[in-house]
Amino acid sequence: MAEHEAGDPHRPPPAAAGGRPDPARGGPAGEVAGGTGGDAGSAAPDGRGAADGQGDRGNQNGQGARGGREGQGAEGARGDGRRAVLALACAAQFMVILDVSVVNVALPSIKDSLGFDAVALQWVVGAYAIAFAGLLLLGGRLADLYGRRRVFLCGLALFSLSSLVGGLAGAPGVLIAMRAVQGLGAAVLAPATLTILTTTFAEGQGRTRALATWTAVSSAGGAAGNLIGGVLTQSLSWRWTLLINAPIGLLTGLLALRLLPADRAREAARRLDVPGAALATIGVTGLVFGVTQAERHGWAGPATLAGLGGGALALAGLWWVEARHAGDPLIPRALLRAPGVRVGNAVMLLAGACFIPMWYFLSLYMQDVLHYGALATGLGFLPHTLAGIVAARLAPLAIRRVGARALIVASALLAAGGFLWQSALGPHSDYVSGLLGPALVMSTGMGLLITPITTTVTSGVAPDAAGAASGLMNAARQVGGTFGLAVLVSVAGTAAGAVAGYQRAFWAIAGLCALVAALAAALPPSPPARTTDPRPTPDTPDAPDGVPPNPPTGAEATR
């Protein structure tokens, strides 16, 4: 992807000096940072300020200097605006990922406080996970059809209000219901955060750095859940693991109203594919439900078979409806024709099966074998978190040096080595000898891996399909993690003793990492061609001022 790193190769040159931007459209800075135009002021070939448009030949140098200063000022404002949008998207993504695990260490307190039985207690975690994974495809497409800003705010409102009601719940049923609504809000919000980034930053170094930050924050959210949950439960109450989302959500919503550009009017002909959305939701939800039941009732249990069978039938129906009847499919056909999207999401699914279960087994080992409390267990994950964050921040540099495909292969093999090392833990291992070294190796591999996969599956995707691409990638990761955890729990359960089971699970994860590396070899060596018209559109924050809308061509014209 070296040819993409210097900027978007499809982007036309800046408007010539003297051309005036259409005020009805607004420039990139106006859409992102609240500024206006000026980008071409420092890039005009004759040195004149594009903001002036008409300069006196005799004062060419003075006009050029003034235009250059104005252009640089607008570019700086646009850069500040983009950084603010990046911070906003990362804050929302952190909340979503944090709530996957933040209640784990609070479960005993929740059980005692609300009178849960052992069977119902699992749904405090399961209701969120099933709704989140099952509705991601729908949530991603909503951003394409109804606007990124609108969908982001709706998802944030659902997530925050359900957190508030759940934190005040006085009965088990209310808490479980609110956790499901939280999952719905998260399924709408998570794809929107990624869509906002991929449509705010043009392909190239800027987008890669933004995705690396988003990846690092996601990793930190997953790892910090246990730590934050332990601190809040121990110092305040389990209720604050949910209540804390309300003020954070309110602040994030106010910032979103200020920072995110208003959504453009959408074509009336483009409507949500309701049959496809229903089948996708039923299919993914059924599969995730079946897998979660397998952990308790075995793979041959009635609930397991009903969930897996119903989910498979619904997904088969989804394929038939999308291929033959959908006018505006839930997942655009052109998107699935891109090899980077197809193979990249398969790689992401396997990566989720490797990395999401890691937290589960390490948490059990630290609490059951090393006898750590909730807070000490959360602190034990700090090296994993820090190594992953540092590696994610280094990923853009590595992509620039070796390319995305080579980095995916190398980082997957590095993670495999770390998991092999982790499988050597024993009943008498201490933290330093049994956990710290493997943590640094496998977390470095994980941190380097996710950014190039995300870059690959979102490259070449037109703005009007960015939400679908984001939802598909997030769904692949969550479904992979759910399936991976269920399978690995079964694998660990066949061993004689808990420690032997953990060893076997880490051996299996190392094998999955090797499979990730092998599958990544089928990825294209550079970002795939765009699935629709590659030129910037007025709906894209990076479209230069004065560039008229482009008519649909290629795959977009046939959609």
Side-chain angles (χ1 to χ4, degrees), residues 223 226-227 359 362-363 366 370 372-386 431 435-436 439 443:
N226 291 320
L227 176 59
W359 308 109
L362 287 179
S363 178
M366 281 191 269
L370 299 183
Y372 288 177
L375 182 57
T377 300
L379 292 172
F381 282 121
L382 278 179
H384 303 76
T385 305
L386 296 176
Y431 183 83
L435 293 175
L436 183 58
S443 296

Side-chain angles (χ1 to χ4, degrees), residues 397-488:
L397 177 61
I399 292 173
R400 202 157 61 243
R401 294 288 180 86
V402 302
R405 183 176 66 177
L407 180 58
I408 293 171
V409 173
S411 55
L413 293 177
L414 178 63
F419 283 115
L420 282 177
W421 188 0
Q422 187 64 83
S423 69
L425 58 81
H428 303 295
S429 301
D430 58 22
Y431 183 83
V432 174
S433 64
L435 293 175
L436 183 58
L440 297 178
V441 176
M442 60 191 181
S443 296
T444 299
M446 286 191 295
L448 290 171
L449 179 64
I450 300 300
T451 298
I453 300 177
T454 306
T455 301
T456 299
V457 300
T458 57
S459 293
V461 175
D464 62 353
S470 302
L472 183 61
M473 190 204 77
N474 277 281
R477 185 175 183 180
Q478 293 303 318
V479 171
T482 303
F483 268 85
L485 179 59
V487 172
L488 290 167

Side-chain angles (χ1 to χ4, degrees), residues 216-390:
V217 168
S218 298
S219 300
N226 291 320
L227 176 59
I228 294 176
V231 170
L232 291 175
T233 302
Q234 188 166 309
S235 59
L236 296 172
S237 163
W238 67 265
R239 296 182 181 277
W240 281 98
T241 62
L242 301 177
L243 292 174
I244 194 173
N245 290 325
I248 296 176
L250 177 61
L251 177 60
T252 304
L254 293 175
L255 291 175
L257 288 171
R258 179 179 178 84
L259 294 173
L260 297 181
D263 297 312
R264 294 177 57 84
R266 300 286 162 174
E267 300 175 25
R270 298 193 67 197
R271 297 178 180 175
L272 180 65
D273 174 21
V274 175
L279 288 169
T281 301
I282 294 170
V284 177
T285 302
L287 291 179
V288 174
F289 173 79
V291 169
T292 58
Q293 294 306 297
E295 297 179 30
R296 297 183 60 84
H297 305 295
W299 291 98
T304 303
L305 294 177
L308 294 178
L313 286 175
L315 291 180
L318 172 66
W319 177 85
W320 184 75
V321 168
E322 299 292 281
R324 295 178 178 272
H325 298 286
D328 194 3
L330 186 69
I331 304 174
R333 300 181 186 101
L335 186 67
L336 294 178
R337 284 196 290 267
V341 173
R342 292 196 311 271
V343 181
N345 277 289
V347 171
M348 181 63 84
L349 186 142
L350 285 176
C354 293
F355 301 147
I356 291 178
M358 180 196 75
W359 308 109
Y360 174 83
F361 289 109
L362 287 179
S363 178
L364 288 179
Y365 178 79
M366 281 191 269
Q367 294 183 71
D368 295 344
V369 179
L370 299 183
H371 304 294
Y372 288 177
L375 182 57
T377 300
L379 292 172
F381 282 121
L382 278 179
H384 303 76
T385 305
L386 296 176
I389 291 173
V390 171

